[in-house]
């Protein structure tokens, strides 16, 4: 459902064109210093405005409604809201009969019997990822000795990112990309056999990010083309350091004290300026369809900070389960 | 932990060289006809013996200890054991000081303080996948109108599977592979926003299978190289059928009534006949290491039926949540 | 944690003297008609103002932030806030060194290392029960054919409630009470063996209500004094109706189509006008202590509607698990 | 479902007259010394044979199938089976048309469509409580500094237990009783707001024990008759010790470092030698009915060790969540 985690738990809610989106973070240790300012940097990183991202202006100020007292977390649930402003619902309402290709319009309608808030993808909107970022900010503070970094490493099939983006601009189309995440200083021993392997939990959370189509750890799909003697990482010393890191920091579902490395594939933005065909559900006719709203040419550009965030809250939960973060932070 | 699912729940236990491995399936509807014979075909498919798989003979007879009465499920938990026979623990005990590269030996020891049953990977062994297959058999019977198929589509980087395998034999090394799973006749509407998307739950369960390094849905990683206008699947009719299926049957985390398609990357078997280097934890020296036990040259060969099984129990759970399978099967 | 339920799930947050208290209801079927007006009656019933309740005026207007569209639930999480107004934090802040007897002041401080919001019991305040009432309103609408009623049946040891309350007023002290809940038209078959018996889930939720000290089903504690031949309820017909109802509608943890009946014991309000002794944690001295704030003489007076609410959301969850409520309400 | 716990998790399975009953304990820390002998004392305490208990001889030898290696727990799930011997199914099979009053026969049949294993109450049998005892033995070893004790304090309404039992023998009927549980040396801070209060979790688990009809903490139902000034426990010192213990060791849902005290009501054994009336479902007639099988005159006599067991595994889970038990026991 809209919840994730065992000890450090997140509960997400809200719709793109409703009053707000929000998230409740439950199980966060007490005593963690936290202020609205802590959120600024990561929320800015997610914001549109750069080349290839939507010009829609979002005023993403986190409103902390609970769980904070005298500048520190209290151990009670932290609920954070982001108000929705500057929405233009009219852009979407006329599309009701014409499910947008690549969007959740059709599947949401099938699942929720047409009662879903369809405006701007409603609860399925990428807008909700700002909530993930907020949860990630808190998780990162808990994991302060651990360094989580994400970056786009490919756009539209190009390692030269400018070139990949230009391809989209030239074609007046949208493009996808690949985002890599690395985590340094992660202790060994995180991940729970059998079903809660580190990869299982990370991928579970990662596929909640809209537009993700694949995930691979370490050498990933390329490992399927290797010999065992090439792929195996030989131990270097008793800390668990290995000479190579094809495993990407996880063996047997458990972290091994090497750098955690994984990559995700982001599909091209479904909303593309190119005219496409789709079904008009009311008339039963195939119609030409073209998106007029404000959208990202390459949604992957906004994903790195979101990927860091989900990685952070998955790891924070595993650290709490493994008792490597205490339930009260004493300063 | 060792549990998975919300309504249709599986709990796995056991070790490779202990008395048995086993699984409890809880939440299975009552009234489903089930016999030991139902397990034969899938368990045979998982068995070694074919070219490229280990000659270790496993007598995998499911012993149903509970939850079955007069040939039908009762609604109470179904516990199934598989006894371990023909184990040669001595093969492994001498390796205690020398964690095998690519295996969970080191990480398990770090996590469980050296108390883990290390013989033959213990609880981390591929041996436990016979339990997944058993749960899959039951789930498939629940999903009898739905067709789940998995197959290897690449071995050692070769689409010609014989050729890929021969490569490993020639090199006296192990190889990896890619396994594809397709599901036909799956209804639209399965998957739960936000965190329990169909991809999230499938990938969560899939990464519990040892040796999986990546998963991709539909066009997957290749989608990251496409334009939006190419990747979008246009609706063909009101059932949700689309002209193309780049999405692989899931949009917005919810099934869309098209064929579900995903692929997983399997790393080369960690146990390779090739001599490798690894650390001797007791002496602190890097030693030459060579596996003498019975192992698969290509573990991917045994994965298809396992992949079908986890797919089946994930989908059975989603179908129960969505009330598309009743809690009592009336015949 | 702050979550309850398997399909119909509630997540509670907020503090007595923070900005708001709130609740997220996840897993509610789509298509349920809902308006702010639906909450009025039950919220009024919980309000203070009657004889024996606190004069603190709470303006309890539910603010629905998500999950509602065109007057119907969407299937997405419903988040409801209640703003805190008219709080007088100064009443509490001076009590920091003097944990109030009977309150969570001391235990919260031990658990959360002193970082908890201690004002007016913070997250432990009875104020949060307005959120339970809100969730109950939605659950009751889902259970519209089922009749849930709670009433006080004893105050301060007296069946005559006026008399019991007068006792408290005369003694200038607070009193406890007993609240009974009955549920009519509940179908047979609700409750899940082994650990999710109907009594298990109801009692789990009920003990989240502050001040509850006991629960008993049917004849309850009196059953321990009966003979088996007296206590057993003989079946009357194939619907499950019994001649007597000592079991209170649940046998073997599963509802049996008779009236569900249970009672809970509410302790006297911890805040009593009577002067008491307590420890000053800073000085280590035992001090005289007297409550000056606004409080209920008998908190039990406000419990019936809260008890109905938790009963309703427990039953709604069991009904969804048992597939007796659909995931989309078609009108 | 048949699972309980967040970190220390138990999964129960089996039927009274099937091959076995069993339990899987998942999340138990690694490194805990454990042997079959550890189970003897508590299993003996649960055994029948004393005055008032059934003469059915159960040879309750725990068979540990997994999770134990070299005499210590491994961190992997511990599955324990108890074989069923000496069962006389014929006693029960003839009762199919005549649901026994007070038993789960009718409700189980309604819930599971008649597919349930009805022999000797099947999965609803008190037989499964031997599994609870086994889980309790492990939990108690984890909690070795904490002292859990249960005892019957009333039988058939009599504090003099011999007298209460004689009442049943004289009346050739069954009687109920009250069992008290106390826990010494429990640290403060256990229990999780809002829904996982210590009382919530204890009562959840307690009501899974067959025949429990009520639970009360501390002064319990009697608290409802007290004044606040009487009921409040004044703090004595900074450890949390109070002059009185009406709260029974839990305030605000969290343990307060005083003795935990609670009582449960056990109904009279449903199977009584007294002839009763019940419905014959096949004929629709009310028939005379009399139990011929082997049964306990007072099932409460066997409950204390079971109550200790569920108390122990609830507390072990809370201790792990609160990080007061490590994930690896170093000796």
């Amino acid at each position: 459902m809209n919840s994730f985690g065992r000890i450090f738990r997140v509960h997400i809610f809200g719709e793109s064109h409703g009053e707000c989106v929000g998230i409740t973070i439950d199980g966060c240790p007490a005593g963690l210093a936290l202020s609205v300012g802590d959120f600024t940097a990561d929320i800015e990183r997610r914001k549109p405005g750069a080349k290839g991202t939507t010009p829609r202006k979002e005023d993403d100020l986190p409103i902390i409604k609970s769980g904070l007292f005298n500048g520190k977390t209290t151990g009670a649930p932290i609920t954070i809201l982001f108000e929705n402003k500057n929405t233009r619902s009219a852009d979407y309402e006329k599309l009701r009969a014409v499910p947008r290709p690549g969007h959740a319009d059709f599947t949401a309608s099938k699942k929720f019997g047409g009662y879903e808030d369809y405006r701007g993808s409603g609860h399925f909107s990428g807008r909700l990822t700002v909530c993930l970022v907020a949860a990630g900010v808190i998780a990162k503070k808990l994991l302060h000795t651990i360094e989580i970094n994400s970056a786009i490493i490919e756009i539209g099939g190009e390692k030269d990112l400018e070139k990949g983006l230009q391809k989209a601009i030239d074609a007046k189309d949208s493009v996808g990309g690949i985002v890599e995440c690395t985590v340094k200083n992660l202790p060994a021993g995180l991940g729970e056999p059998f079903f809660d392997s580190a990869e299982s939990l990370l991928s579970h959370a990662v596929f909640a990010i809209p537009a993700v189509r694949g995930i691979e750890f370490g050498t990933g799909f390329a490992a399927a083309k290797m010999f065992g003697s090439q792929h195996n990482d030989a131990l270097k010393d008793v800390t668990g350091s290995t000479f190579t890191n094809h495993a990407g920091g996880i063996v047997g579902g458990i972290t091994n004290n090497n750098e955690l490395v994984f990559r995700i594939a982001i599909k091209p933005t479904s909303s593309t300026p190119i005219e496409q065909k789709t079904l008009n559900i009311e008339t039963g006719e195939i119609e030409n369809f073209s998106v007029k709203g404000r959208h990202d040419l390459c949604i992957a550009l906004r994903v790195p900070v979101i990927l860091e965030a989900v990685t952070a809250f998955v790891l924070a939960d595993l650290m709490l389960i493994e008792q490597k973060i205490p339930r009260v932070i004493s300063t």
Side-chain angles (χ1 to χ4, degrees), chain A:
Chain A
M1 309 291 189
N2 294 284
S3 299
F4 188 82
R6 186 170 295 266
I7 300 291
F8 189 90
R9 295 165 63 87
V10 295
H11 311 291
I12 201 166
F13 53 88
E15 293 85 18
S16 176
H17 287 60
E19 279 193 41
C20 68
V21 295
I23 195 160
T24 298
I25 297 106
D26 193 10
C28 180
L32 181 74
L34 187 70
S35 70
V36 169
D38 290 330
F39 295 86
T40 310
D42 273 1
I43 288 176
E44 284 297 318
R45 288 174 63 201
R46 180 190 162 278
K47 268 192 186 165
K51 191 178 184 181
T53 62
T54 164
R56 169 175 168 176
K57 207 175 160 331
E58 292 167 328
D59 192 358
D60 290 335
L61 193 71
I63 304 168
I64 303 177
K65 302 296 278 186
S66 65
L68 197 65
F69 183 54
N70 292 336
K72 299 217 167 132
T73 59
T74 62
I78 304 160
T79 294
I80 303 175
L81 302 186
F82 294 89
E83 291 181 3
N84 293 324
K85 296 172 182 171
N86 192 19
T87 58
R88 300 205 310 229
S89 299
D91 287 357
Y92 299 92
E93 295 200 6
K94 62 187 166 196
L95 303 178
R96 189 63 177 142
V98 188
R100 296 167 299 163
H103 281 280
D105 296 357
F106 177 80
T107 52
S109 181
K110 286 297 268 189
K111 185 171 190 75
F112 296 117
Y115 294 110
E116 76 284 357
D117 182 348
Y118 53 79
R119 299 168 301 165
S121 296
H123 186 57
F124 292 82
S125 167
R127 171 73 178 143
L128 276 84
T129 57
V130 71
C131 303
L132 302 181
V133 171
V137 165
I138 296 173
K140 284 176 180 179
K141 291 202 81 172
L142 282 175
L143 301 168
H144 63 284
T145 60
I146 291 167
E147 200 181 315
I148 304 175
N149 284 295
S150 283
I152 305 193
I153 58 169
E154 190 185 302
I155 287 188
E158 305 286 340
K159 304 283 181 209
D160 178 334
L161 307 183
E162 279 293 318
K163 202 170 151 191
L165 204 53
Q166 197 57 46
K167 230 163 94 172
I169 293 167
D170 292 347
K172 294 191 168 50
D173 209 337
S174 60
V175 285
I178 293 178
V179 181
E180 187 172 78
C181 185
T182 59
V183 185
K184 291 197 169 82
N185 298 327
L186 196 62
L190 303 184
E192 299 294 322
F194 187 85
F195 288 108
D196 287 354
S197 73
E199 300 104 318
S200 287
L201 295 178
L202 285 165
S203 64
H204 187 143
V206 157
F207 277 112
I209 305 173
V212 176
R213 304 312 294 147
I215 186 169
E216 59 177 12
F217 291 84
T219 309
F221 274 85
K225 300 183 195 301
M226 293 169 78
F227 286 119
S229 62
Q230 295 173 299
H231 185 268
N232 282 342
D233 301 313
L235 264 182
K236 200 156 65 178
D237 59 46
V238 292
T239 68
S241 290
T242 51
F243 289 100
T244 52
N245 188 18
H246 295 114
I250 305 174
V251 177
I254 299 178
T255 57
N256 71 356
N257 203 30
N258 290 275
E259 190 178 40
L260 174 63
V261 184
F262 65 98
R263 282 169 301 283
I264 64 174
I266 306 294
K267 70 174 183 180
T269 318
S270 298
S271 296
T272 162
I274 294 264
E275 194 174 73
Q276 300 174 76
K277 296 206 173 302
T278 191
L279 184 75
N280 183 314
I281 282 187
E282 287 172 9
T283 65
E285 303 285 314
I286 306 292
E287 290 185 357
N288 284 330
F289 167 91
S290 159
V291 175
K292 294 293 185 304
R294 302 149 299 173
H295 296 285
D296 299 273
L297 278 191
C298 178
I299 194 73
L301 288 168
R302 297 171 74 176
V303 167
V305 70
I306 301 165
L307 184 58
E308 287 178 15
V310 303
T311 301
F313 64 68
V314 169
L315 294 176
D317 193 30
L318 285 174
M319 293 279 280
L320 277 159
I321 292 171
E322 194 64 14
Q323 305 185 357
K324 292 188 186 301
I325 296 175
R327 295 211 64 195
V328 175
I329 310 289
S330 52
T331 47

